[in-house]
Amino acid sequence: MRMLRFLLPALLLIIGENSSAQQLFTMSNKCVEKTKLARRMNDQKKYDSALNIYNSITKSCNSNDAKEIIFTGKARSYNGKKKYDEAIRYANESLKLTKNTSLNGYFERAMAYSGKKNSTASRADFTRIIELTEKNKNTKERATIYAMIADQYYKAGKKDSARVNLDKAKNLDPSNSNFLIQQGDWSAKENNYNAAFENYDKAVALGRNDVEIYKTRADARVTMVQRKYHTTNAQELRAKMTTNEREQVCTELNKAIELGYKNMQADMFAALVCK
């Protein structure tokens, strides 16, 4: 899910701009403002508030363009609430309305299938998005979709297919640091921390200097020593870690905390190990 956290905002922005914003001219100003507010509620993970807004404008905002935005917005809300059957229901309504051309509809359905652990159906919808977006030559959107398909393959244990799709994403959009983080996360899961940090370092070199990247780096370093010494006890780790390992862990953890990472366990670990 970490990779989805990085990729989702960018993908939703791209799809939202390409699929919905161009249609707003057919909607009244009131409907435009309401749908924008509902989208912000979804962005802030206030899914019930978003649903309340969408429900309140279902009858008054009844153009086909408005309906698509409402259907896919509801699907996103239900995905956020992990009510995947409801998400699929509204995604299907969007696809039916648009004669199977709604990028948002396919995306939300793919995410719902992913939540239901149906990776085959999820990948099929991501693939359909690629087929549709290739017509517009939108390389950044296709790259992000390839990366998400790669993530689905990786979670399904099909690592070769995962790497093929991630390579496609990187070739299409080589400046996207999220793909380097994704590859780094895979390496960390495979206990290859040298490869993981090579990719994390490349992401930083591309300009990633936010709390999320350093939280990722700190998590990887802590997990690295926990696996090596077979303990999660901070005091035991302090006694067993080498000077270099302690420096690596504390550098990443202190940077994350400095940038605003708020986590009681991280604070306690830093207090016990890094001071």
Side-chain angles (χ1 to χ4, degrees), residues 34-84:
K34 288 288 187 179
T35 55
K36 284 184 177 179
L37 177 59
R39 181 179 295 174
R40 286 199 296 273
M41 293 297 99
N42 271 337
D43 289 343
Q44 296 169 15
K45 300 183 180 181
K46 298 177 180 178
Y47 302 118
D48 287 326
S49 296
L51 285 169
N52 287 337
I53 296 170
Y54 286 127
N55 288 333
S56 73
I57 61 175
T58 297
K59 292 183 179 180
S60 58
C61 300
N62 56 9
S63 70
N64 282 348
D65 296 335
K67 287 179 181 178
E68 181 193 357
I69 292 171
I70 291 169
F71 288 149
T72 55
K74 285 185 175 182
R76 186 181 172 196
S77 298
Y78 281 117
N79 269 328
K81 289 165 64 67
K82 298 183 179 180
K83 293 186 176 181
Y84 301 120

Side-chain angles (χ1 to χ4, degrees), residues 110-242:
M111 296 307 298
Y113 281 136
S114 177
K116 288 171 67 70
K117 311 300 183 184
N118 188 342
S119 58
T120 300
S122 181
R123 288 196 299 270
D125 278 345
F126 282 132
T127 300
R128 182 57 181 150
I129 292 172
I130 291 172
E131 291 171 353
L132 290 171
T133 56
E134 280 179 342
K135 297 176 182 178
N136 297 325
K137 305 301 180 183
N138 190 324
T139 56
K140 289 186 179 295
E141 181 173 338
R142 292 207 313 277
T144 301
I145 295 296
Y146 275 126
M148 296 193 77
I149 292 172
D151 193 62
Q152 295 299 311
Y153 274 122
Y154 191 87
K155 288 191 291 186
K158 299 180 179 180
K159 295 182 180 180
D160 289 341
S161 295
R163 291 186 173 92
V164 166
N165 280 277
L166 186 57
D167 285 343
K168 289 180 181 179
K170 292 164 71 176
N171 289 334
L172 283 168
D173 190 6
S175 65
N176 193 324
S177 60
N178 289 331
F179 305 153
L180 293 166
I181 297 169
Q182 182 172 0
Q183 190 165 354
D185 285 349
W186 290 354
S187 295
K189 287 177 182 177
E190 294 165 8
N191 219 26
N192 187 349
Y193 290 98
N194 288 335
F197 276 87
E198 283 179 11
N199 283 287
Y200 294 153
D201 288 344
K202 289 177 182 178
V204 172
L206 282 177
R208 285 299 293 269
N209 195 36
D210 55 16
V211 64
E212 286 295 336
I213 180 59
Y214 282 100
K215 177 183 179 298
T216 297
R217 293 171 67 100
D219 287 346
R221 287 298 186 197
V222 171
T223 302
M224 177 186 73
V225 294
Q226 288 175 337
R227 286 178 176 176
K228 179 178 178 179
Y229 297 110
H230 307 290
T231 181
T232 59
N233 183 283
Q235 291 178 323
E236 288 183 21
L237 287 171
R238 179 186 177 112
K240 293 180 177 181
M241 280 190 293
T242 67

Side-chain angles (χ1 to χ4, degrees), residues 236-269:
E236 288 183 21
L237 287 171
R238 179 186 177 112
K240 293 180 177 181
M241 280 190 293
T242 67
T243 301
N244 184 53
E245 287 169 342
R246 181 181 174 189
E247 182 179 351
Q248 289 174 333
V249 169
C250 294
T251 296
E252 307 295 355
L253 190 55
N254 286 332
K255 180 68 173 180
I257 292 171
E258 176 189 328
L259 289 171
Y261 178 37
K262 297 185 183 300
N263 180 282
M264 185 178 296
Q265 289 183 326
D267 288 341
M268 290 177 63
F269 189 95

